[in-house]
Amino acid sequence: MAELMVDMTYGSALFQAAKELNKEKQILDEAEELLVIFDKEPSVPAFINNPVISATEKKDTLKKIFEGRLCTELLNFLYVLVDKGRTRHISKMIDYYREMVNREEGFSCGKIFSAVPLDDKRLKKFEEETGKLINEKVKLDNQTDRSLIGGVRILIDGKVIDASIRKRLKNLGTSLR
């Protein structure tokens, strides 16, 4: 629970700073690119999360890697996280920031779980259909869940829409008893 508060606090602070500068979208794009880099180069987050390495050395290295590639505000945000020892939470902070940007743009955000990744066309179709169902604009983040066999499960605003084959088979099994 405390970690969630940390993620929300820092994600919210980043959003407020970005909003004051009218850079919400730019910072979101750069933050998402930062996560891609961290995913492709796990040595970078391992380095900044290493408690043995000094904050100064971490910030110098981040500056060498990202100066000119990230806006000053996002780079300064990384420096603050290094100073406060909160770098392990970067991805969750960015997730929360993304949710705030989407809410500001009038979207409800959710997750759609599928057995295989959805292409953009199918994802847009699910967003439209889910939006009609809950009477809001919707953005869905696709995540794979091989246990679904087929179909999808959607989580949005505390609601679950389960249209998975797994759920249908479970319901069939229950009705046959």
Side-chain angles (χ1 to χ4, degrees):
M1 184 69 163
E3 287 182 4
L4 177 60
M5 289 303 295
V6 168
D7 304 339
M8 291 171 63
T9 300
Y10 282 89
S12 179
L14 179 61
F15 178 76
Q16 292 304 319
K19 189 171 180 169
E20 286 177 17
L21 298 167
N22 200 26
K23 289 186 166 185
E24 300 98 331
K25 184 69 174 139
Q26 177 189 352
I27 289 176
L28 178 60
D29 291 343
E30 290 179 9
E32 287 178 340
E33 185 60 33
L34 179 70
L35 292 180
V36 169
I37 292 168
F38 282 5
D39 191 46
K40 288 181 181 177
E41 295 293 334
S43 60
V44 176
F47 174 80
I48 63 172
N49 292 330
N50 188 330
V52 176
I53 301 170
S54 72
T56 303
E57 189 176 348
K58 291 175 185 180
K59 291 190 291 189
D60 288 344
T61 302
L62 286 171
K63 183 177 182 176
K64 288 176 188 171
I65 295 171
F66 294 114
E67 191 171 48
R69 295 176 76 185
L70 298 179
C71 65
T72 305
E73 296 78 16
L74 187 54
L75 194 54
N76 287 338
F77 179 71
L78 291 175
Y79 295 160
V80 169
L81 296 180
V82 167
D83 286 338
K84 299 292 184 182
R86 301 291 191 189
T87 55
R88 293 187 190 283
H89 301 270
I90 291 173
S91 65
K92 290 179 183 175
M93 291 171 192
I94 292 171
D95 287 345
Y96 189 75
Y97 176 84
R98 182 184 307 109
E99 286 179 29
M100 292 187 75
V101 169
N102 287 332
R103 271 190 251 136
E104 183 79 10
E105 293 176 350
F107 287 92
S108 285
C109 299
K111 297 184 187 304
I112 182 167
F113 297 90
S114 57
V116 296
L118 300 173
D119 61 37
D120 288 340
K121 184 178 176 182
R122 291 189 71 203
L123 184 60
K124 291 289 179 210
K125 180 77 171 158
F126 278 113
E127 288 174 340
E128 289 171 11
E129 294 300 320
T130 304
K132 288 177 188 174
L133 193 63
I134 66 170
N135 293 321
E136 293 182 23
K137 294 189 289 183
V138 171
K139 282 192 178 181
L140 297 172
D141 177 38
N142 184 213
Q143 297 182 3
T144 56
D145 180 354
R146 304 258 186 245
S147 71
L148 289 178
I149 305 168
V152 296
R153 189 174 69 241
I154 300 170
L155 304 174
I156 188 162
D157 292 340
K159 299 174 188 91
V160 177
I161 303 167
D162 197 339
S164 65
I165 292 175
R166 180 181 186 193
K167 174 71 172 174
R168 291 180 194 164
L169 290 173
K170 184 178 176 183
N171 290 346
L172 180 62
T174 303
S175 68
L176 292 175
R177 291 184 185 151

